[in-house]
Amino acid sequence: MSTVKCIGILTSGGDAPGMNAAIRAVTRAAIYNGLQVKGIYRGYKGLITGEIQEFKSQNVSNIIQLGGTILKTARCQEFMTPEGRKIAYDTLIKEGIDALVVIGGDGSLTGARIFAQEYDIPCIGLPGTIDNDLFGTDTTIGYDTALNTILDAVDKIRDTATSHERLFFIEVMGRDAGFLALNGAIASGAEAAIIPEFSTEVDQLEELIKNGFRKSKNSSIVIVAESELTGGAMHYADRVKNEYPQYDVRVTILGHVQRGGSPTAHDRILASRLGAASIDAILEGQRNVMIGIENDEIVYVPFTKAIKNNKPIKKELVNVLRILSI
Ligand code: ADP
């Protein structure tokens, strides 16, 4: 059983809708179980600067519906150094924090893994990223909201694309993961998705053209994942302009709009479940695991498995998109 009395919470790296719902859940579940809670501001930076505040239940009132994160987020170079992490550890000791809940993506959980290796402090991760690129969890906090934001935008672009009979390349986020692009394409009825996972296998533009993607249509939408591996939407638009000048091509880069907005019901429920489970995990004496959800069950995923363990794209989804876009 755990001897933890006070937990610290932070949000780090790229923000994602639903982070506030997670902060609320962690805080309230901790208080419910008799633990003290401290909110750490600006990710790992707050551990270095000491920007920390005790959280009571009221501190997380009225935030479940808000996008962004009330704890703010930041990228912190100093935490990447052993000296920076030593300062962070000293801050935790000074504040009496004896377990840490980190809400963030791949990078943030990597930081937590390294920190937990160096210092004897239980760290629990919650997958907070719109990219859905953490292994061992079916979905991540923020992914569903971002997907719905993409749909809203693509539906609108479809109207103008059809009126002008244009080919649109729409760039979505995802870093090196094609989940947003592929599922965004299926859900919006796009003609194709260009994703990093297949960038080395085939020339995805040649595939599109070969498949006659514009034979019977008066508009076409191709969703492109923003990634160095794909080259992004501009790269494909330039190629089409040069290689297939008969097409009237436009590009829309959705950008940071995908990170904002009120979280969907799915993300709020996910964040609430994962947040509550993070406290169960601490009380059970778990350490250095990410809380995930698989087949609707809470799972504990060791950091080493969750991070940098390429989460596979289902071939079935690729086939569904290809078949339904004829
Ligand atoms: P995300 O969590 O969204 O993937 P980043 O990759 O930017 O975001 O990482 C967020 C923060 O996590 C970094 O600014 C840094 O403070 C910390 N971090 C990332 N990688 C490491 C690492 N290898 N060692 C220590 N800290 C790290």
Short mmCIF file of all heavy atoms in Angstrom, two decimals, residues 127-195:
data_model
loop_
_atom_site.label_atom_id
_atom_site.label_comp_id
_atom_site.label_asym_id
_atom_site.label_seq_id
_atom_site.Cartn_x
_atom_site.Cartn_y
_atom_site.Cartn_z
N PRO A 127 -2.49 10.10 -20.74
CA PRO A 127 -2.25 10.42 -22.14
C PRO A 127 -3.06 11.63 -22.58
O PRO A 127 -4.25 11.52 -22.86
CB PRO A 127 -2.70 9.15 -22.88
CG PRO A 127 -3.72 8.53 -21.97
CD PRO A 127 -3.32 8.90 -20.56
N GLY A 128 -2.43 12.78 -22.62
CA GLY A 128 -3.12 14.01 -23.02
C GLY A 128 -2.49 14.54 -24.29
O GLY A 128 -1.46 15.21 -24.25
N THR A 129 -3.05 14.18 -25.42
CA THR A 129 -2.52 14.64 -26.71
C THR A 129 -3.57 14.44 -27.79
O THR A 129 -4.26 13.41 -27.80
CB THR A 129 -1.23 13.89 -27.10
OG1 THR A 129 -0.96 14.13 -28.49
CG2 THR A 129 -1.33 12.38 -26.91
N ILE A 130 -3.68 15.42 -28.69
CA ILE A 130 -4.66 15.26 -29.77
C ILE A 130 -4.18 14.22 -30.79
O ILE A 130 -4.96 13.76 -31.61
CB ILE A 130 -4.96 16.60 -30.50
CG1 ILE A 130 -3.73 17.16 -31.20
CG2 ILE A 130 -5.56 17.62 -29.53
CD1 ILE A 130 -4.06 18.31 -32.17
N ASP A 131 -2.89 13.85 -30.72
CA ASP A 131 -2.31 13.00 -31.77
C ASP A 131 -2.69 11.52 -31.66
O ASP A 131 -2.51 10.77 -32.62
CB ASP A 131 -0.78 13.09 -31.74
CG ASP A 131 -0.28 14.50 -31.97
OD1 ASP A 131 -1.04 15.30 -32.53
OD2 ASP A 131 0.86 14.80 -31.57
N ASN A 132 -3.14 11.08 -30.50
CA ASN A 132 -3.47 9.67 -30.25
C ASN A 132 -2.30 8.73 -30.50
O ASN A 132 -2.48 7.59 -30.92
CB ASN A 132 -4.68 9.25 -31.12
CG ASN A 132 -5.29 7.95 -30.65
OD1 ASN A 132 -5.23 7.61 -29.47
ND2 ASN A 132 -5.86 7.19 -31.57
N ASP A 133 -1.08 9.22 -30.27
CA ASP A 133 0.10 8.43 -30.66
C ASP A 133 0.77 7.72 -29.49
O ASP A 133 1.95 7.39 -29.56
CB ASP A 133 1.11 9.32 -31.39
CG ASP A 133 1.60 10.47 -30.51
OD1 ASP A 133 1.00 10.71 -29.44
OD2 ASP A 133 2.58 11.12 -30.89
N LEU A 134 0.01 7.47 -28.40
CA LEU A 134 0.62 6.73 -27.30
C LEU A 134 0.16 5.28 -27.34
O LEU A 134 -1.04 5.00 -27.49
CB LEU A 134 0.27 7.40 -25.96
CG LEU A 134 1.05 8.72 -25.75
CD1 LEU A 134 0.36 9.60 -24.73
CD2 LEU A 134 2.49 8.45 -25.33
N PHE A 135 1.11 4.39 -27.21
CA PHE A 135 0.86 2.96 -27.30
C PHE A 135 0.20 2.45 -26.02
O PHE A 135 0.48 2.95 -24.93
CB PHE A 135 2.21 2.24 -27.50
CG PHE A 135 2.08 0.80 -27.85
CD1 PHE A 135 1.93 0.39 -29.17
CD2 PHE A 135 2.10 -0.16 -26.85
CE1 PHE A 135 1.82 -0.95 -29.49
CE2 PHE A 135 1.98 -1.51 -27.15
CZ PHE A 135 1.84 -1.89 -28.47
N GLY A 136 -0.70 1.48 -26.15
CA GLY A 136 -1.28 0.85 -24.96
C GLY A 136 -2.59 1.47 -24.53
O GLY A 136 -3.17 1.04 -23.54
N THR A 137 -3.03 2.49 -25.24
CA THR A 137 -4.34 3.07 -24.95
C THR A 137 -5.09 3.22 -26.28
O THR A 137 -4.48 3.61 -27.29
CB THR A 137 -4.24 4.43 -24.21
OG1 THR A 137 -5.55 4.85 -23.83
CG2 THR A 137 -3.55 5.52 -25.01
N ASP A 138 -6.37 2.89 -26.27
CA ASP A 138 -7.13 2.96 -27.53
C ASP A 138 -7.22 4.40 -28.02
O ASP A 138 -7.26 4.65 -29.21
CB ASP A 138 -8.55 2.41 -27.33
CG ASP A 138 -8.53 0.89 -27.15
OD1 ASP A 138 -7.52 0.27 -27.52
OD2 ASP A 138 -9.52 0.35 -26.62
N THR A 139 -7.30 5.33 -27.08
CA THR A 139 -7.45 6.72 -27.46
C THR A 139 -6.84 7.61 -26.39
O THR A 139 -6.57 7.16 -25.28
CB THR A 139 -8.96 7.02 -27.72
OG1 THR A 139 -9.12 8.38 -28.04
CG2 THR A 139 -9.83 6.69 -26.54
N THR A 140 -6.60 8.87 -26.73
CA THR A 140 -5.96 9.80 -25.80
C THR A 140 -6.88 11.01 -25.57
O THR A 140 -7.74 11.31 -26.41
CB THR A 140 -4.61 10.29 -26.37
OG1 THR A 140 -4.85 10.90 -27.65
CG2 THR A 140 -3.61 9.16 -26.53
N ILE A 141 -6.65 11.69 -24.46
CA ILE A 141 -7.48 12.84 -24.11
C ILE A 141 -7.24 13.97 -25.13
O ILE A 141 -6.11 14.40 -25.30
CB ILE A 141 -7.13 13.33 -22.68
CG1 ILE A 141 -7.43 12.23 -21.65
CG2 ILE A 141 -7.87 14.62 -22.34
CD1 ILE A 141 -6.77 12.46 -20.29
N GLY A 142 -8.28 14.41 -25.79
CA GLY A 142 -8.17 15.49 -26.77
C GLY A 142 -8.32 15.04 -28.21
O GLY A 142 -8.66 15.83 -29.10
N TYR A 143 -8.08 13.77 -28.45
CA TYR A 143 -8.11 13.25 -29.82
C TYR A 143 -9.51 13.36 -30.42
O TYR A 143 -9.68 13.84 -31.55
CB TYR A 143 -7.62 11.80 -29.81
CG TYR A 143 -7.79 11.06 -31.11
CD1 TYR A 143 -7.14 11.48 -32.26
CD2 TYR A 143 -8.62 9.93 -31.19
CE1 TYR A 143 -7.30 10.80 -33.46
CE2 TYR A 143 -8.78 9.25 -32.38
CZ TYR A 143 -8.12 9.69 -33.51
OH TYR A 143 -8.29 9.02 -34.69
N ASP A 144 -10.52 12.95 -29.68
CA ASP A 144 -11.89 12.97 -30.22
C ASP A 144 -12.34 14.40 -30.52
O ASP A 144 -12.99 14.65 -31.55
CB ASP A 144 -12.84 12.30 -29.23
CG ASP A 144 -14.25 12.17 -29.79
OD1 ASP A 144 -14.43 11.43 -30.78
OD2 ASP A 144 -15.16 12.84 -29.27
N THR A 145 -11.98 15.33 -29.64
CA THR A 145 -12.39 16.72 -29.86
C THR A 145 -11.70 17.27 -31.11
O THR A 145 -12.34 17.93 -31.94
CB THR A 145 -12.02 17.59 -28.63
OG1 THR A 145 -12.57 16.98 -27.47
CG2 THR A 145 -12.55 19.00 -28.78
N ALA A 146 -10.41 16.98 -31.25
CA ALA A 146 -9.67 17.47 -32.42
C ALA A 146 -10.26 16.88 -33.71
O ALA A 146 -10.40 17.57 -34.72
CB ALA A 146 -8.20 17.10 -32.29
N LEU A 147 -10.63 15.61 -33.64
CA LEU A 147 -11.22 14.95 -34.80
C LEU A 147 -12.53 15.66 -35.20
O LEU A 147 -12.78 15.92 -36.39
CB LEU A 147 -11.49 13.49 -34.42
CG LEU A 147 -11.56 12.43 -35.48
CD1 LEU A 147 -10.43 12.52 -36.46
CD2 LEU A 147 -11.51 11.05 -34.78
N ASN A 148 -13.32 15.99 -34.22
CA ASN A 148 -14.58 16.68 -34.50
C ASN A 148 -14.36 18.09 -35.03
O ASN A 148 -15.13 18.57 -35.87
CB ASN A 148 -15.47 16.68 -33.26
CG ASN A 148 -16.20 15.35 -33.13
OD1 ASN A 148 -17.11 15.06 -33.90
ND2 ASN A 148 -15.76 14.52 -32.22
N THR A 149 -13.30 18.75 -34.56
CA THR A 149 -12.97 20.08 -35.10
C THR A 149 -12.57 19.95 -36.57
O THR A 149 -12.95 20.77 -37.41
CB THR A 149 -11.80 20.70 -34.29
OG1 THR A 149 -12.21 20.78 -32.92
CG2 THR A 149 -11.41 22.06 -34.80
N ILE A 150 -11.82 18.91 -36.87
CA ILE A 150 -11.41 18.67 -38.26
C ILE A 150 -12.65 18.46 -39.14
O ILE A 150 -12.77 19.03 -40.22
CB ILE A 150 -10.45 17.46 -38.35
CG1 ILE A 150 -9.10 17.83 -37.71
CG2 ILE A 150 -10.27 16.98 -39.78
CD1 ILE A 150 -8.15 16.66 -37.50
N LEU A 151 -13.59 17.67 -38.65
CA LEU A 151 -14.80 17.39 -39.43
C LEU A 151 -15.56 18.67 -39.74
O LEU A 151 -16.03 18.87 -40.86
CB LEU A 151 -15.75 16.47 -38.66
CG LEU A 151 -15.29 15.06 -38.41
CD1 LEU A 151 -16.46 14.21 -37.96
CD2 LEU A 151 -14.66 14.49 -39.64
N ASP A 152 -15.70 19.50 -38.74
CA ASP A 152 -16.43 20.74 -38.91
C ASP A 152 -15.77 21.57 -40.02
O ASP A 152 -16.44 22.11 -40.91
CB ASP A 152 -16.40 21.49 -37.57
CG ASP A 152 -17.24 22.73 -37.60
OD1 ASP A 152 -18.39 22.63 -38.06
OD2 ASP A 152 -16.74 23.80 -37.19
N ALA A 153 -14.44 21.65 -39.98
CA ALA A 153 -13.72 22.44 -40.98
C ALA A 153 -13.83 21.81 -42.36
O ALA A 153 -14.08 22.51 -43.36
CB ALA A 153 -12.25 22.56 -40.56
N VAL A 154 -13.65 20.49 -42.42
CA VAL A 154 -13.66 19.83 -43.74
C VAL A 154 -15.05 19.93 -44.38
O VAL A 154 -15.18 20.17 -45.58
CB VAL A 154 -13.20 18.35 -43.65
CG1 VAL A 154 -13.30 17.67 -45.00
CG2 VAL A 154 -11.78 18.27 -43.12
N ASP A 155 -16.10 19.79 -43.57
CA ASP A 155 -17.47 19.93 -44.11
C ASP A 155 -17.63 21.30 -44.77
O ASP A 155 -18.26 21.42 -45.83
CB ASP A 155 -18.51 19.79 -42.99
CG ASP A 155 -18.64 18.34 -42.50
OD1 ASP A 155 -18.07 17.43 -43.14
OD2 ASP A 155 -19.30 18.13 -41.46
N LYS A 156 -17.08 22.31 -44.15
CA LYS A 156 -17.22 23.67 -44.70
C LYS A 156 -16.39 23.82 -45.97
O LYS A 156 -16.84 24.43 -46.95
CB LYS A 156 -16.81 24.71 -43.65
CG LYS A 156 -17.88 24.83 -42.59
CD LYS A 156 -17.50 25.72 -41.45
CE LYS A 156 -18.70 25.81 -40.51
NZ LYS A 156 -18.35 25.94 -39.11
N ILE A 157 -15.19 23.28 -45.93
CA ILE A 157 -14.33 23.38 -47.13
C ILE A 157 -14.96 22.61 -48.29
O ILE A 157 -14.89 23.02 -49.44
CB ILE A 157 -12.90 22.87 -46.81
CG1 ILE A 157 -12.22 23.85 -45.84
CG2 ILE A 157 -12.07 22.73 -48.08
CD1 ILE A 157 -10.95 23.34 -45.21
N ARG A 158 -15.62 21.51 -47.96
CA ARG A 158 -16.28 20.70 -49.00
C ARG A 158 -17.28 21.55 -49.80
O ARG A 158 -17.38 21.43 -51.02
CB ARG A 158 -17.00 19.51 -48.35
CG ARG A 158 -17.87 18.72 -49.26
CD ARG A 158 -17.12 17.78 -50.15
NE ARG A 158 -16.63 16.63 -49.44
CZ ARG A 158 -15.84 15.70 -49.99
NH1 ARG A 158 -15.45 15.81 -51.24
NH2 ARG A 158 -15.44 14.67 -49.28
N ASP A 159 -18.01 22.43 -49.12
CA ASP A 159 -19.00 23.28 -49.82
C ASP A 159 -18.32 24.11 -50.90
O ASP A 159 -18.76 24.14 -52.04
CB ASP A 159 -19.68 24.24 -48.82
CG ASP A 159 -20.60 23.48 -47.87
OD1 ASP A 159 -20.96 22.33 -48.17
OD2 ASP A 159 -20.95 24.07 -46.82
N THR A 160 -17.23 24.77 -50.53
CA THR A 160 -16.57 25.63 -51.52
C THR A 160 -15.82 24.80 -52.56
O THR A 160 -15.78 25.15 -53.73
CB THR A 160 -15.68 26.70 -50.84
OG1 THR A 160 -14.99 27.41 -51.85
CG2 THR A 160 -14.68 26.12 -49.87
N ALA A 161 -15.26 23.66 -52.13
CA ALA A 161 -14.55 22.80 -53.08
C ALA A 161 -15.51 22.32 -54.17
O ALA A 161 -15.18 22.30 -55.36
CB ALA A 161 -13.96 21.60 -52.34
N THR A 162 -16.74 21.98 -53.78
CA THR A 162 -17.73 21.48 -54.74
C THR A 162 -18.19 22.61 -55.67
O THR A 162 -18.29 22.42 -56.88
CB THR A 162 -18.95 20.91 -53.98
OG1 THR A 162 -18.48 19.97 -53.03
CG2 THR A 162 -19.93 20.24 -54.91
N SER A 163 -18.41 23.78 -55.10
CA SER A 163 -18.87 24.91 -55.93
C SER A 163 -17.86 25.23 -57.03
O SER A 163 -18.23 25.52 -58.16
CB SER A 163 -19.08 26.15 -55.07
OG SER A 163 -19.98 25.86 -54.03
N HIS A 164 -16.60 25.20 -56.68
CA HIS A 164 -15.55 25.57 -57.65
C HIS A 164 -14.92 24.37 -58.34
O HIS A 164 -14.00 24.56 -59.14
CB HIS A 164 -14.44 26.36 -56.94
CG HIS A 164 -14.82 27.76 -56.61
ND1 HIS A 164 -14.70 28.78 -57.52
CD2 HIS A 164 -15.34 28.29 -55.49
CE1 HIS A 164 -15.12 29.91 -56.94
NE2 HIS A 164 -15.52 29.63 -55.71
N GLU A 165 -15.37 23.18 -58.01
CA GLU A 165 -14.82 21.94 -58.58
C GLU A 165 -13.31 21.85 -58.39
O GLU A 165 -12.55 21.66 -59.34
CB GLU A 165 -15.21 21.82 -60.05
CG GLU A 165 -16.72 21.83 -60.20
CD GLU A 165 -17.19 21.64 -61.61
OE1 GLU A 165 -17.25 22.65 -62.33
OE2 GLU A 165 -17.47 20.50 -61.98
N ARG A 166 -12.91 22.04 -57.16
CA ARG A 166 -11.48 22.10 -56.85
C ARG A 166 -11.01 20.86 -56.11
O ARG A 166 -11.79 20.15 -55.49
CB ARG A 166 -11.19 23.31 -55.97
CG ARG A 166 -11.10 24.57 -56.76
CD ARG A 166 -10.91 25.78 -55.88
NE ARG A 166 -10.72 26.93 -56.72
CZ ARG A 166 -11.09 28.17 -56.40
NH1 ARG A 166 -11.68 28.41 -55.25
NH2 ARG A 166 -10.87 29.16 -57.22
N LEU A 167 -9.70 20.70 -56.16
CA LEU A 167 -9.04 19.68 -55.36
C LEU A 167 -8.38 20.38 -54.17
O LEU A 167 -7.58 21.30 -54.35
CB LEU A 167 -7.97 18.99 -56.22
CG LEU A 167 -6.89 18.18 -55.49
CD1 LEU A 167 -7.48 17.05 -54.65
CD2 LEU A 167 -5.90 17.59 -56.51
N PHE A 168 -8.77 19.98 -52.97
CA PHE A 168 -8.21 20.59 -51.75
C PHE A 168 -7.29 19.60 -51.02
O PHE A 168 -7.68 18.45 -50.80
CB PHE A 168 -9.32 20.98 -50.77
CG PHE A 168 -9.76 22.40 -50.90
CD1 PHE A 168 -10.68 22.79 -51.86
CD2 PHE A 168 -9.25 23.37 -50.04
CE1 PHE A 168 -11.09 24.11 -51.96
CE2 PHE A 168 -9.64 24.69 -50.14
CZ PHE A 168 -10.57 25.08 -51.10
N PHE A 169 -6.13 20.09 -50.66
CA PHE A 169 -5.29 19.35 -49.72
C PHE A 169 -5.45 20.05 -48.38
O PHE A 169 -5.15 21.24 -48.25
CB PHE A 169 -3.82 19.39 -50.15
CG PHE A 169 -3.53 18.50 -51.32
CD1 PHE A 169 -3.52 19.00 -52.61
CD2 PHE A 169 -3.29 17.14 -51.13
CE1 PHE A 169 -3.26 18.18 -53.70
CE2 PHE A 169 -3.03 16.31 -52.21
CZ PHE A 169 -3.02 16.82 -53.50
N ILE A 170 -5.95 19.32 -47.39
CA ILE A 170 -6.17 19.91 -46.06
C ILE A 170 -5.18 19.27 -45.08
O ILE A 170 -5.17 18.05 -44.91
CB ILE A 170 -7.62 19.66 -45.58
CG1 ILE A 170 -8.59 20.27 -46.61
CG2 ILE A 170 -7.85 20.26 -44.19
CD1 ILE A 170 -10.05 20.03 -46.29
N GLU A 171 -4.37 20.14 -44.50
CA GLU A 171 -3.34 19.62 -43.57
C GLU A 171 -3.85 19.61 -42.14
O GLU A 171 -4.37 20.61 -41.65
CB GLU A 171 -2.08 20.48 -43.68
CG GLU A 171 -0.92 19.91 -42.88
CD GLU A 171 0.35 20.70 -43.12
OE1 GLU A 171 0.85 20.70 -44.26
OE2 GLU A 171 0.83 21.33 -42.15
N VAL A 172 -3.69 18.47 -41.50
CA VAL A 172 -4.09 18.33 -40.10
C VAL A 172 -2.87 17.98 -39.26
O VAL A 172 -1.84 17.56 -39.78
CB VAL A 172 -5.20 17.26 -39.91
CG1 VAL A 172 -6.43 17.61 -40.73
CG2 VAL A 172 -4.70 15.86 -40.25
N MET A 173 -3.00 18.14 -37.93
CA MET A 173 -1.88 17.83 -37.05
C MET A 173 -1.73 16.32 -36.89
O MET A 173 -2.53 15.55 -37.43
CB MET A 173 -2.09 18.50 -35.69
CG MET A 173 -1.86 19.99 -35.74
SD MET A 173 -1.98 20.74 -34.11
CE MET A 173 -1.35 22.38 -34.47
N GLY A 174 -0.74 15.93 -36.13
CA GLY A 174 -0.55 14.50 -35.91
C GLY A 174 0.90 14.11 -35.75
O GLY A 174 1.22 12.98 -35.48
N ARG A 175 1.76 15.12 -35.92
CA ARG A 175 3.21 14.89 -35.84
C ARG A 175 3.57 13.66 -36.67
O ARG A 175 3.38 13.66 -37.87
CB ARG A 175 3.65 14.76 -34.38
CG ARG A 175 5.07 15.16 -34.19
CD ARG A 175 5.42 15.67 -32.82
NE ARG A 175 4.64 15.06 -31.76
CZ ARG A 175 4.85 15.32 -30.48
NH1 ARG A 175 5.81 16.15 -30.12
NH2 ARG A 175 4.11 14.77 -29.56
N ASP A 176 3.97 12.57 -36.04
CA ASP A 176 4.33 11.43 -36.87
C ASP A 176 3.30 10.32 -36.81
O ASP A 176 3.61 9.15 -36.99
CB ASP A 176 5.73 10.92 -36.47
CG ASP A 176 6.79 11.93 -36.89
OD1 ASP A 176 6.58 12.58 -37.93
OD2 ASP A 176 7.78 12.08 -36.18
N ALA A 177 2.05 10.71 -36.55
CA ALA A 177 0.99 9.71 -36.48
C ALA A 177 -0.17 10.14 -37.38
O ALA A 177 -0.55 11.30 -37.41
CB ALA A 177 0.51 9.58 -35.04
N GLY A 178 -0.71 9.17 -38.12
CA GLY A 178 -1.75 9.49 -39.09
C GLY A 178 -3.17 9.29 -38.59
O GLY A 178 -4.11 9.31 -39.40
N PHE A 179 -3.36 9.16 -37.28
CA PHE A 179 -4.72 8.86 -36.77
C PHE A 179 -5.71 9.97 -37.10
O PHE A 179 -6.83 9.70 -37.56
CB PHE A 179 -4.69 8.62 -35.26
CG PHE A 179 -3.90 7.42 -34.88
CD1 PHE A 179 -2.60 7.54 -34.44
CD2 PHE A 179 -4.45 6.15 -35.01
CE1 PHE A 179 -1.85 6.41 -34.11
CE2 PHE A 179 -3.71 5.02 -34.68
CZ PHE A 179 -2.40 5.16 -34.23
N LEU A 180 -5.32 11.22 -36.85
CA LEU A 180 -6.25 12.33 -37.13
C LEU A 180 -6.54 12.39 -38.62
O LEU A 180 -7.70 12.59 -39.02
CB LEU A 180 -5.64 13.66 -36.67
CG LEU A 180 -5.69 13.98 -35.18
CD1 LEU A 180 -4.92 15.27 -34.89
CD2 LEU A 180 -7.13 14.11 -34.67
N ALA A 181 -5.52 12.23 -39.45
CA ALA A 181 -5.71 12.34 -40.90
C ALA A 181 -6.59 11.21 -41.42
O ALA A 181 -7.55 11.44 -42.17
CB ALA A 181 -4.36 12.34 -41.61
N LEU A 182 -6.29 10.00 -41.01
CA LEU A 182 -7.01 8.85 -41.55
C LEU A 182 -8.47 8.81 -41.06
O LEU A 182 -9.40 8.70 -41.87
CB LEU A 182 -6.29 7.55 -41.16
CG LEU A 182 -6.89 6.26 -41.70
CD1 LEU A 182 -6.98 6.28 -43.22
CD2 LEU A 182 -6.06 5.06 -41.24
N ASN A 183 -8.67 8.95 -39.77
CA ASN A 183 -10.05 8.91 -39.27
C ASN A 183 -10.80 10.18 -39.64
O ASN A 183 -12.02 10.14 -39.87
CB ASN A 183 -10.06 8.66 -37.76
CG ASN A 183 -9.83 7.19 -37.46
OD1 ASN A 183 -10.36 6.32 -38.13
ND2 ASN A 183 -9.01 6.91 -36.47
N GLY A 184 -10.08 11.30 -39.73
CA GLY A 184 -10.71 12.54 -40.20
C GLY A 184 -11.19 12.37 -41.64
O GLY A 184 -12.27 12.84 -42.01
N ALA A 185 -10.40 11.67 -42.44
CA ALA A 185 -10.78 11.44 -43.84
C ALA A 185 -11.99 10.52 -43.93
O ALA A 185 -12.94 10.79 -44.69
CB ALA A 185 -9.59 10.84 -44.60
N ILE A 186 -12.00 9.46 -43.14
CA ILE A 186 -13.16 8.54 -43.17
C ILE A 186 -14.42 9.29 -42.75
O ILE A 186 -15.46 9.21 -43.41
CB ILE A 186 -12.92 7.32 -42.24
CG1 ILE A 186 -11.82 6.44 -42.81
CG2 ILE A 186 -14.22 6.52 -42.06
CD1 ILE A 186 -11.41 5.28 -41.89
N ALA A 187 -14.32 10.02 -41.65
CA ALA A 187 -15.51 10.66 -41.08
C ALA A 187 -16.02 11.82 -41.92
O ALA A 187 -17.20 12.15 -41.87
CB ALA A 187 -15.21 11.13 -39.66
N SER A 188 -15.14 12.45 -42.69
CA SER A 188 -15.59 13.59 -43.51
C SER A 188 -15.89 13.18 -44.94
O SER A 188 -16.27 14.01 -45.76
CB SER A 188 -14.52 14.69 -43.50
OG SER A 188 -13.34 14.21 -44.11
N GLY A 189 -15.71 11.91 -45.24
CA GLY A 189 -15.97 11.45 -46.61
C GLY A 189 -14.93 11.95 -47.59
O GLY A 189 -15.22 12.14 -48.78
N ALA A 190 -13.72 12.18 -47.10
CA ALA A 190 -12.64 12.65 -47.99
C ALA A 190 -12.24 11.53 -48.96
O ALA A 190 -12.52 10.35 -48.72
CB ALA A 190 -11.45 13.09 -47.17
N GLU A 191 -11.57 11.94 -50.02
CA GLU A 191 -11.19 10.96 -51.04
C GLU A 191 -9.96 10.15 -50.63
O GLU A 191 -9.78 9.01 -51.07
CB GLU A 191 -10.90 11.67 -52.37
CG GLU A 191 -12.14 11.98 -53.19
CD GLU A 191 -13.18 12.82 -52.47
OE1 GLU A 191 -12.79 13.84 -51.85
OE2 GLU A 191 -14.37 12.46 -52.48
N ALA A 192 -9.10 10.77 -49.81
CA ALA A 192 -7.88 10.06 -49.43
C ALA A 192 -7.23 10.72 -48.24
O ALA A 192 -7.55 11.87 -47.90
CB ALA A 192 -6.89 10.05 -50.60
N ALA A 193 -6.31 9.98 -47.62
CA ALA A 193 -5.50 10.54 -46.54
C ALA A 193 -4.04 10.21 -46.86
O ALA A 193 -3.73 9.11 -47.31
CB ALA A 193 -5.88 9.92 -45.20
N ILE A 194 -3.19 11.19 -46.63
CA ILE A 194 -1.75 10.95 -46.81
C ILE A 194 -1.13 10.97 -45.42
O ILE A 194 -1.21 11.98 -44.72
CB ILE A 194 -1.13 12.03 -47.73
CG1 ILE A 194 -1.71 11.84 -49.14
CG2 ILE A 194 0.39 11.93 -47.73
CD1 ILE A 194 -1.25 12.85 -50.16
N ILE A 195 -0.58 9.83 -45.01
CA ILE A 195 -0.14 9.70 -43.61
C ILE A 195 1.32 9.26 -43.53
O ILE A 195 1.82 8.58 -44.42
CB ILE A 195 -1.07 8.72 -42.84
CG1 ILE A 195 -1.06 7.33 -43.46
CG2 ILE A 195 -2.48 9.28 -42.74
CD1 ILE A 195 -1.85 6.30 -42.65
#
